[in-house]
Amino acid sequence: MLCVMARKAADDPLAPVTLVVGPEELLVDRAVSAVTRAVRAEDPEADIRDLAPGALQPGMLTELTSPSLFGERKVIVVRAAHDLGTDLVNELKAYLGAPADEVVLVITHLGGPKGKALLDAARKAGAREVACAKVTKAGDRLALVKTEFRTAGRSVTEDAARALVEAVGNDLRELAAACSQLAADTDGVIDEEIVARYYTGRAETSSFDVADKAVEGRAAEALEQLRWALSVGVAPVLVTSALAQGVRNIARLGGAPRGARPGDLARELGMPPWKLDRVRQQMRGWTPDGIVRALQAVAEADAAVKGGGSDPAYALEKAVVTVATVRNT
Amino acid sequence: MTVWDDLVGQDRVIAQLRSAAVGARGVLAGEESSGGMTHAWLFTGPPGSGRATAARAFAAALQCVSPDLSLGGEPGCGHCDGCHTSLTGTHADVDVVSTELLSIGVKETRDLVRRAALSPAGGRWQVIVLEDADRLTEGAGNVLLKAIEEPAPRTVWMLCAPSVEDALPTIRSRCRHVALRTPPVAAVADMLMRRDGIDPEMASYAARATGGNIDRARRLATDEQARSRRAEVLGLPLQLGDIGSCMAAAQRLVDAAAADAKEITAELDARETEELRNALGANGPGGRLPSGTAGVVKELENRQKKRATRTQRDCLDLALVDLTAFYRDVLTVQLGAPVPLDNEQVRPSVDRVARAGTPEDTLRRIEAILACREAIDANVAPLLAVEAMALTLRAG
């Protein structure tokens, strides 16, 4: 039986056991629906049981996997298998040793150390595995957007894909939804103009963007970033701490000995080398007096956002403008 | 020996509390007039003046069961059962409440109110000493109001706070106010010699350096590390050459406070955690906890974290107080005031800073330190607040 399974497990959605491992929900859902689609294609009458996390009770698995009177195919999806209790894990393991013929079992698992025994057992039994690792890199998100459009039979320009990712944000589900919406609403090649017609603005901006712009003296851009950051829910305290870090880095690098080796400097100031280069760029135009006033403004803003003032947004704007304008005084 | 011995340089307060204790005896005997005794007291005074000591001493005097009393002796003998157990904190009817956290919340306060409704087990007074009344949250203060206004007949509340303004106005108006003053330096030095057996020179140094704060003076006199930490802090004003060194000095100050706090809390944390794990039945150190108990451990960790925050702030605050004392000395020198310096041992640097600036500069610097203390109290990131202060100190 084992070798039969192993042979079938290559990349066949109809493999008796499919293991969907990883935290990226969109990909998990896609993997699950790929299996159900494949089964449906073969047998439109197939019985599909998608068990929500916690829905599997002891004893249920035997009942579900026992042959039915009509002999139709069955898909059983066990969600969040990492949360299963010991009894259920043992039942599943027993089943993995002797899978039923007409049943396709799909197990979704976060992939962490929790519930690892089941994962190992399934792998050992030769289950087909689909990896759904978290998508963290911007490049991967771009790739996903492009794939989405390709699957929909559309082509997209590089700039358009980038604009879409910037506007929609990092949530893959939202990105995929945006792609299918665009594909349905428009014709022809999807370019930046089309994306801009449907999606404008920025979904995500961090407190560090604000701080970087501010210490570089670009007041208008810094304020714009600040507004975006606040409206997408960045906490005001994060902005003050980023601003403080920005000014602090400049002050500390400014006070460091001139001829020090970059490696030593990085270690002494506790910054990675790339950061050091960046701060060196930002340092231009700063005077000691400016640093003093900037840091004091940030300290005031920090007190204000922590309950000392009535309007955190105003306090932050004031601090950002001060930091951005005192550098040349 | 009497219960008042540890109260240094507070003769007026001692007289007041003594007569109240005599009056309290009258109340117990069923006399009509209360003779200076009342059910709620608010002890105020600068840190280290002995607010809590005064409250405990008064509690002991109320619980005094000395046989001399029937012969006309004064309550508060200091060696009878009642006095002794009250002072050591084991008396059944004396509840001393203090907190290691940043505030005292509604939940803890409700327990106190319940306790205040009980009759005293020893038949005398049910005393509740709230050492950190200034840390009551507003909600917690409101919970106390009713219990303080009309407590059970034999319940006595004693609240301690640095100043009258630290207590809610509604609480203030329900208490009799006892104001302690900053004890004179000579009295503190005398007490260090008498009670802790510290040699006269060290005692007078510690008393002067801490400006009459008894607890700090004792720590400074007995703890070598406290002295070296203080020396570091006093060296700071001379290290404020350029921006970079200001930032570095600020970082050092904050790091030192964090290290101090860690040292204080780490040992305590480890012991508490181990005790809790044993109580929950974890098998041995590092063993697995039974399921369902993770929440309790988490709760303890949260409390420990809050305590660590408080301790770190306290350590930093001490350093800033030392720094204020330095600039006070600078001002003394600049104005040629005929008073002794707090920090005689660093006179050269005091003189140097004094020559380099005007009294106005010094006042601005002291203001900056006070502003920094306030900022830290208002939750501003400590490093940021200290950096801003260091830069202001440099600018003058």
Side-chain angles (χ1 to χ4, degrees):
Chain A
M1 179 55 78
L2 251 179
C3 60
V4 176
M5 239 171 92
R7 201 165 355 101
K8 271 189 100 173
D11 200 30
D12 177 10
L14 295 175
V17 181
T18 297
L19 202 53
V20 182
V21 188
E24 195 60 79
E25 279 179 39
L26 176 77
L27 301 182
V28 170
D29 281 352
R30 294 233 164 131
V32 173
S33 59
V35 174
T36 51
R37 250 200 330 271
V39 174
R40 275 264 156 82
E42 215 164 76
D43 177 5
E45 298 287 294
D47 182 12
I48 289 164
R49 297 292 182 89
D50 195 339
L51 302 169
L56 189 67
Q57 297 298 323
M60 240 169 105
L61 192 68
T62 332
E63 190 188 317
L64 288 171
T65 53
S66 56
S68 93
L69 197 57
F70 308 106
E72 82 263 7
R73 298 200 70 137
K74 270 191 199 171
V75 180
I76 300 168
V77 184
V78 179
R79 300 257 179 189
H82 46 268
D83 283 336
L84 293 182
T86 341
D87 300 349
L88 288 166
V89 168
N90 287 339
E91 276 184 42
L92 268 173
K93 277 188 193 164
Y95 174 79
L96 288 173
D101 281 340
E102 69 279 24
V103 173
V104 172
L105 178 66
V106 181
I107 301 174
T108 78
H109 192 289
L110 264 187
K114 201 176 171 198
K116 193 159 180 300
L118 178 64
L119 207 57
D120 291 341
R123 279 178 182 149
K124 213 170 149 199
R128 161 183 176 250
E129 187 169 335
V130 182
C132 303
K134 196 97 197 149
V135 173
T136 50
K137 295 201 190 92
D140 294 347
R141 267 179 231 118
L142 275 182
L144 178 109
V145 168
K146 286 184 215 153
T147 323
E148 286 297 309
F149 283 117
R150 203 177 318 124
T151 329
R154 306 294 295 276
S155 54
V156 60
T157 64
E158 183 80 24
D159 288 344
R162 185 162 295 125
L164 191 62
V165 171
E166 208 162 72
V168 176
N170 294 342
D171 191 276
L172 283 197
R173 210 178 276 278
E174 282 183 36
L175 265 182
C179 290
S180 68
Q181 186 78 51
L182 272 180
D185 288 353
T186 60
D187 302 307
V189 173
I190 292 166
D191 57 15
E192 209 175 349
E193 200 182 315
I194 290 181
V195 172
R197 195 184 312 146
Y198 288 87
Y199 298 93
T200 52
R202 291 179 71 86
E204 274 155 56
T205 176
S206 80
S207 50
F208 294 103
D209 298 334
V210 181
D212 281 340
K213 295 280 188 307
V215 295
E216 282 159 18
R218 294 189 274 172
E221 286 169 57
L223 280 179
E224 191 191 327
Q225 292 286 340
L226 175 66
R227 276 286 161 208
W228 279 120
L230 291 179
S231 59
V232 298
V234 172
V237 287
L238 294 184
V239 180
T240 51
S241 80
L243 278 173
Q245 192 64 49
V247 179
R248 178 179 301 138
N249 285 343
I250 287 171
R252 293 182 58 193
L253 189 60
R258 291 257 167 254
R261 285 215 318 261
D264 295 343
L265 210 54
R267 200 166 332 109
E268 196 191 308
L269 300 180
M271 292 184 227
W274 61 266
K275 181 87 194 158
L276 212 56
D277 292 338
R278 174 120 209 220
V279 175
R280 199 164 275 143
Q281 298 266 319
Q282 293 172 338
M283 228 168 76
R284 288 191 197 129
W286 278 94
T287 58
D289 205 33
I291 292 176
V292 173
R293 286 178 48 199
L295 202 69
Q296 280 163 350
V298 177
E300 267 168 41
D302 199 35
V305 300
K306 282 171 177 162
S310 55
D311 186 358
Y314 167 71
L316 288 179
E317 278 177 5
K318 193 169 160 222
V320 163
V321 171
T322 313
V323 171
T325 49
V326 294
R327 63 198 304 248
N328 291 317
T329 53
Chain B
M1 170 192 172
T2 71
V3 292
W4 314 109
D5 283 357
D6 285 350
L7 213 49
V8 181
Q10 311 287 359
D11 301 333
R12 205 180 46 79
V13 167
I14 293 177
Q16 185 186 0
L17 295 179
R18 259 196 180 136
S19 78
V22 173
R25 250 176 73 70
V27 175
L28 286 182
E31 282 171 24
E32 282 291 306
S33 99
S34 63
M37 180 59 189
T38 187
H39 58 266
W41 299 77
L42 176 62
F43 293 84
T44 64
S49 57
R51 299 181 299 253
T53 316
R56 279 169 195 251
F58 185 36
L62 291 181
Q63 306 290 7
C64 181
V65 291
S66 162
D68 293 347
L69 287 179
S70 51
L71 306 172
E74 269 206 7
C77 63
H79 35 71
C80 72
D81 238 26
C83 286
H84 182 70
T85 51
S86 301
L87 289 178
T88 53
T90 50
H91 196 288
D93 294 332
V94 178
D95 210 8
V96 179
V97 183
S98 61
T99 184
E100 295 166 325
L101 309 183
L102 286 168
S103 60
I104 303 177
V106 172
K107 213 170 104 198
E108 295 92 326
T109 318
R110 290 234 162 89
D111 286 340
L112 282 187
V113 171
R114 204 167 304 128
R115 162 115 197 175
L118 299 178
S119 283
R124 300 182 62 83
W125 299 95
Q126 173 79 262
V127 182
I128 300 179
V129 181
L130 196 52
E131 285 193 355
D132 301 302
D134 51 317
R135 291 191 184 270
L136 285 170
T137 61
E138 196 172 334
N142 288 332
V143 168
L144 277 188
L145 286 180
K146 184 72 186 154
I148 289 190
E149 188 167 42
E150 289 177 341
R154 290 292 176 76
T155 298
V156 181
W157 288 91
M158 298 183 190
L159 312 184
C160 309
S163 73
V164 180
E165 284 73 29
D166 288 314
L168 286 180
T170 38
I171 288 196
R172 230 183 281 164
S173 65
R174 285 162 167 81
C175 297
R176 184 166 301 165
H177 183 203
V178 179
L180 289 93
R181 59 174 184 150
T182 305
V185 167
V188 175
D190 180 54
M191 144 129 187
L192 288 179
M193 287 186 278
R194 189 164 42 82
R195 229 194 80 150
D196 301 288
I198 289 159
D199 67 87
E201 200 178 323
M202 176 64 82
S204 86
Y205 151 75
R208 220 178 34 235
T210 51
N213 185 332
I214 299 169
D215 305 330
R216 296 206 55 210
R218 183 176 296 141
R219 172 130 189 266
L220 202 60
T222 51
D223 184 353
E224 172 64 43
Q225 205 181 354
R227 285 197 291 275
S228 71
R229 190 68 84 205
R230 181 182 168 84
E232 270 170 43
V233 170
L234 295 181
L236 186 127
L238 290 183
Q239 297 165 6
L240 304 175
D242 60 4
I243 301 272
S245 47
C246 282
M247 304 299 273
Q251 179 87 53
R252 272 201 302 280
L253 197 61
V254 174
D255 286 350
D260 275 2
K262 196 166 171 213
E263 195 178 314
I264 295 171
T265 53
E267 198 179 325
L268 217 53
D269 286 358
R271 206 185 57 228
E272 281 177 357
T273 311
E274 199 46 48
E275 274 169 13
L276 180 66
R277 289 174 61 90
N278 284 339
L280 291 175
N283 17 358
R288 281 178 74 90
L289 282 166
S291 70
T293 57
V296 190
V297 177
K298 187 85 196 150
E299 198 177 305
L300 177 70
E301 279 168 6
N302 282 342
R303 207 165 62 233
Q304 289 174 338
K305 207 173 148 211
K306 280 190 198 160
R307 181 172 64 197
T309 312
R310 153 103 190 255
T311 318
Q312 189 182 343
R313 274 192 205 174
D314 287 358
C315 291
L316 197 54
D317 201 54
L318 285 186
L320 293 176
V321 171
D322 284 343
L323 206 54
T324 318
F326 179 90
Y327 283 106
R328 173 234 180 234
D329 288 349
V330 171
L331 196 61
T332 311
V333 171
Q334 282 171 335
L335 299 176
V339 289
L341 295 190
D342 277 357
N343 301 293
E344 190 61 55
Q345 76 281 10
V346 291
R347 188 178 261 283
S349 30
V350 170
D351 284 341
R352 224 173 106 190
V353 175
R355 273 196 308 276
T358 63
E360 287 82 0
D361 291 339
T362 311
L363 281 177
R364 270 197 295 274
R365 287 178 172 140
I366 292 177
E367 290 284 327
I369 302 174
L370 296 183
C372 175
R373 291 179 63 194
E374 269 169 32
I376 291 174
D377 201 40
N379 257 337
V380 171
L383 182 59
L384 179 59
V386 174
E387 280 170 351
M389 177 198 79
L391 292 176
T392 317
L393 290 183
R394 171 182 166 272

